[in-house]
Amino acid sequence: MTTDFEIDVSKRFILIPIVAEKDTLQFIFDTGANQILIFPNQQTNKLKYIKGEPLNSKEGIHTIDGRFIHNLNFNLESIIFENVSGILTDMKRFPEQFNAYIKQMGIDGMIGYDVLKDFPIQLDFESGRGTVYRNSNAVNDDKSGSLLALSFHNNKPYIDCKIKSNKDSLETIKLQFDLGNLGTLELIPFTIPNFEIPENAEKKEGYGISGKYEIYTGITEKLLIGAIEIDSIPTAFLPVNIYSESDRNGKIGLEVMKQFNLTIDYPNERLIIKNNNDS
């Protein structure tokens, strides 16, 4: 059994419709979100939930301030989610650019793991349709496309890819699979053998939901995702590791992945990736 829903990428993020308290809210679909996030506004202030402990995170840039909430109920089309816990965020913790964008676009929150932990989801960006497989074994017969194993840290997914190094060798790297990241590819060069920040890379300031950080922008010559090869990828190179996971080499974002048809299968710990023109 499957449930279909519309996916909207016209506002850059993947937006999906979440129904709560009879209102249809816009949530960013983010594989990097290990808990549901609620952004305070006129719509979400009407939601019913139980307030939990406050979050007053002060360490690192990838932490979120706000308050834990519990017993939140919502629907994704015909799928009912009951008694979900999440975080009511303190928007002051986020960069001004992110806050302005969220307000302008009328975005109400983020969701990822809470949907994906039980249901494989297919994202067809070409048609603008998403499909939720109600049976976690429903996609087992799909032999087409490239099959990648998913590994997890703090309920966030990772895939192994290969990149061309400065010495023309192919190096295996571990990337966070992050559809809430609007960029293409983010690498931490000093964690990758035979790989360095390109000499012509330009120093800039990067920012995300959790803060600002220093980056260099340039080009990665070649990336292999399973059997799929992508050339000349715009890349953000991080001179330091800003993440808690010591074994990650970077992350791969929406701008790369939206050119493919994706089946994200957390229950079976795998990702199926196809070119959009594949049958």
mmCIF file of all heavy atoms in Angstrom, residues 86-102:
data_model
loop_
_atom_site.group_PDB
_atom_site.id
_atom_site.type_symbol
_atom_site.label_atom_id
_atom_site.label_comp_id
_atom_site.label_asym_id
_atom_site.label_seq_id
_atom_site.Cartn_x
_atom_site.Cartn_y
_atom_site.Cartn_z
ATOM 1 N N GLY A 86 9.299 16.595 19.763
ATOM 2 C CA GLY A 86 10.081 17.443 18.881
ATOM 3 C C GLY A 86 10.643 18.624 19.631
ATOM 4 O O GLY A 86 10.767 18.605 20.863
ATOM 5 N N ILE A 87 10.992 19.663 18.889
ATOM 6 C CA ILE A 87 11.580 20.870 19.479
ATOM 7 C C ILE A 87 10.853 22.091 18.940
ATOM 8 O O ILE A 87 10.716 22.265 17.727
ATOM 9 C CB ILE A 87 13.080 20.983 19.149
ATOM 10 C CG1 ILE A 87 13.853 19.808 19.750
ATOM 11 C CG2 ILE A 87 13.653 22.306 19.661
ATOM 12 C CD1 ILE A 87 15.298 19.742 19.310
ATOM 13 N N LEU A 88 10.355 22.927 19.843
ATOM 14 C CA LEU A 88 9.851 24.252 19.492
ATOM 15 C C LEU A 88 11.055 25.178 19.538
ATOM 16 O O LEU A 88 11.637 25.404 20.601
ATOM 17 C CB LEU A 88 8.776 24.702 20.477
ATOM 18 C CG LEU A 88 8.130 26.062 20.200
ATOM 19 C CD1 LEU A 88 7.299 26.019 18.920
ATOM 20 C CD2 LEU A 88 7.270 26.499 21.387
ATOM 21 N N THR A 89 11.458 25.688 18.396
ATOM 22 C CA THR A 89 12.760 26.338 18.295
ATOM 23 C C THR A 89 12.729 27.792 18.763
ATOM 24 O O THR A 89 11.718 28.479 18.663
ATOM 25 C CB THR A 89 13.268 26.308 16.846
ATOM 26 O OG1 THR A 89 12.346 27.009 16.010
ATOM 27 C CG2 THR A 89 13.397 24.886 16.348
ATOM 28 N N ASP A 90 13.873 28.226 19.255
ATOM 29 C CA ASP A 90 14.108 29.640 19.525
ATOM 30 C C ASP A 90 14.763 30.216 18.275
ATOM 31 O O ASP A 90 15.931 29.945 17.994
ATOM 32 C CB ASP A 90 15.018 29.789 20.743
ATOM 33 C CG ASP A 90 15.314 31.246 21.087
ATOM 34 O OD1 ASP A 90 14.929 32.136 20.302
ATOM 35 O OD2 ASP A 90 15.954 31.483 22.130
ATOM 36 N N MET A 91 14.027 30.994 17.506
ATOM 37 C CA MET A 91 14.510 31.457 16.213
ATOM 38 C C MET A 91 15.690 32.423 16.340
ATOM 39 O O MET A 91 16.425 32.631 15.371
ATOM 40 C CB MET A 91 13.379 32.115 15.425
ATOM 41 C CG MET A 91 12.153 31.227 15.206
ATOM 42 S SD MET A 91 12.537 29.641 14.393
ATOM 43 C CE MET A 91 12.828 30.176 12.706
ATOM 44 N N LYS A 92 15.917 32.984 17.521
ATOM 45 C CA LYS A 92 17.047 33.893 17.705
ATOM 46 C C LYS A 92 18.373 33.163 17.539
ATOM 47 O O LYS A 92 19.400 33.806 17.293
ATOM 48 C CB LYS A 92 16.978 34.538 19.089
ATOM 49 C CG LYS A 92 15.788 35.457 19.295
ATOM 50 C CD LYS A 92 15.772 36.013 20.712
ATOM 51 C CE LYS A 92 14.535 36.892 20.947
ATOM 52 N NZ LYS A 92 14.485 37.392 22.351
ATOM 53 N N ARG A 93 18.354 31.850 17.675
ATOM 54 C CA ARG A 93 19.587 31.068 17.566
ATOM 55 C C ARG A 93 20.038 30.921 16.117
ATOM 56 O O ARG A 93 21.195 30.624 15.852
ATOM 57 C CB ARG A 93 19.354 29.683 18.194
ATOM 58 C CG ARG A 93 20.554 28.758 18.180
ATOM 59 C CD ARG A 93 21.668 29.319 19.061
ATOM 60 N NE ARG A 93 22.775 28.381 19.197
ATOM 61 C CZ ARG A 93 23.740 28.214 18.306
ATOM 62 N NH1 ARG A 93 23.729 28.926 17.200
ATOM 63 N NH2 ARG A 93 24.715 27.351 18.514
ATOM 64 N N PHE A 94 19.122 31.116 15.171
ATOM 65 C CA PHE A 94 19.418 30.877 13.764
ATOM 66 C C PHE A 94 19.982 32.139 13.105
ATOM 67 O O PHE A 94 19.726 33.259 13.560
ATOM 68 C CB PHE A 94 18.160 30.452 13.002
ATOM 69 C CG PHE A 94 17.539 29.176 13.518
ATOM 70 C CD1 PHE A 94 16.182 28.963 13.384
ATOM 71 C CD2 PHE A 94 18.312 28.198 14.117
ATOM 72 C CE1 PHE A 94 15.607 27.791 13.851
ATOM 73 C CE2 PHE A 94 17.749 27.033 14.582
ATOM 74 C CZ PHE A 94 16.392 26.826 14.458
ATOM 75 N N PRO A 95 20.726 31.976 12.014
ATOM 76 C CA PRO A 95 21.225 33.147 11.280
ATOM 77 C C PRO A 95 20.087 34.016 10.755
ATOM 78 O O PRO A 95 18.990 33.508 10.445
ATOM 79 C CB PRO A 95 22.007 32.518 10.112
ATOM 80 C CG PRO A 95 22.351 31.146 10.574
ATOM 81 C CD PRO A 95 21.210 30.714 11.446
ATOM 82 N N GLU A 96 20.324 35.311 10.649
ATOM 83 C CA GLU A 96 19.293 36.239 10.177
ATOM 84 C C GLU A 96 18.789 35.863 8.793
ATOM 85 O O GLU A 96 17.591 35.997 8.498
ATOM 86 C CB GLU A 96 19.845 37.668 10.155
ATOM 87 C CG GLU A 96 20.144 38.244 11.530
ATOM 88 C CD GLU A 96 20.693 39.659 11.448
ATOM 89 O OE1 GLU A 96 20.715 40.213 10.322
ATOM 90 O OE2 GLU A 96 21.088 40.205 12.494
ATOM 91 N N GLN A 97 19.703 35.375 7.927
ATOM 92 C CA GLN A 97 19.299 35.024 6.565
ATOM 93 C C GLN A 97 18.274 33.887 6.576
ATOM 94 O O GLN A 97 17.308 33.895 5.813
ATOM 95 C CB GLN A 97 20.520 34.605 5.738
ATOM 96 C CG GLN A 97 21.578 35.689 5.601
ATOM 97 C CD GLN A 97 22.676 35.533 6.624
ATOM 98 O OE1 GLN A 97 22.425 35.199 7.783
ATOM 99 N NE2 GLN A 97 23.911 35.769 6.202
ATOM 100 N N PHE A 98 18.498 32.920 7.451
ATOM 101 C CA PHE A 98 17.582 31.781 7.542
ATOM 102 C C PHE A 98 16.230 32.227 8.093
ATOM 103 O O PHE A 98 15.172 31.876 7.565
ATOM 104 C CB PHE A 98 18.183 30.693 8.434
ATOM 105 C CG PHE A 98 17.311 29.465 8.559
ATOM 106 C CD1 PHE A 98 17.287 28.516 7.553
ATOM 107 C CD2 PHE A 98 16.529 29.269 9.681
ATOM 108 C CE1 PHE A 98 16.482 27.384 7.661
ATOM 109 C CE2 PHE A 98 15.728 28.148 9.793
ATOM 110 C CZ PHE A 98 15.707 27.203 8.783
ATOM 111 N N ASN A 99 16.237 33.021 9.150
ATOM 112 C CA ASN A 99 14.987 33.500 9.737
ATOM 113 C C ASN A 99 14.164 34.308 8.745
ATOM 114 O O ASN A 99 12.934 34.152 8.654
ATOM 115 C CB ASN A 99 15.286 34.367 10.965
ATOM 116 C CG ASN A 99 15.604 33.538 12.193
ATOM 117 O OD1 ASN A 99 15.242 32.369 12.263
ATOM 118 N ND2 ASN A 99 16.286 34.124 13.157
ATOM 119 N N ALA A 100 14.828 35.195 7.994
ATOM 120 C CA ALA A 100 14.116 36.019 7.014
ATOM 121 C C ALA A 100 13.493 35.147 5.932
ATOM 122 O O ALA A 100 12.358 35.389 5.500
ATOM 123 C CB ALA A 100 15.072 37.044 6.398
ATOM 124 N N TYR A 101 14.227 34.121 5.512
ATOM 125 C CA TYR A 101 13.720 33.239 4.458
ATOM 126 C C TYR A 101 12.515 32.445 4.950
ATOM 127 O O TYR A 101 11.508 32.325 4.246
ATOM 128 C CB TYR A 101 14.826 32.292 4.010
ATOM 129 C CG TYR A 101 14.451 31.439 2.823
ATOM 130 C CD1 TYR A 101 14.556 31.942 1.532
ATOM 131 C CD2 TYR A 101 13.980 30.150 2.997
ATOM 132 C CE1 TYR A 101 14.197 31.170 0.450
ATOM 133 C CE2 TYR A 101 13.620 29.371 1.914
ATOM 134 C CZ TYR A 101 13.733 29.882 0.641
ATOM 135 O OH TYR A 101 13.371 29.121 -0.428
ATOM 136 N N ILE A 102 12.608 31.894 6.159
ATOM 137 C CA ILE A 102 11.515 31.110 6.735
ATOM 138 C C ILE A 102 10.243 31.959 6.844
ATOM 139 O O ILE A 102 9.139 31.522 6.501
ATOM 140 C CB ILE A 102 11.923 30.564 8.117
ATOM 141 C CG1 ILE A 102 12.990 29.497 7.972
ATOM 142 C CG2 ILE A 102 10.716 30.009 8.868
ATOM 143 C CD1 ILE A 102 12.585 28.304 7.158
#
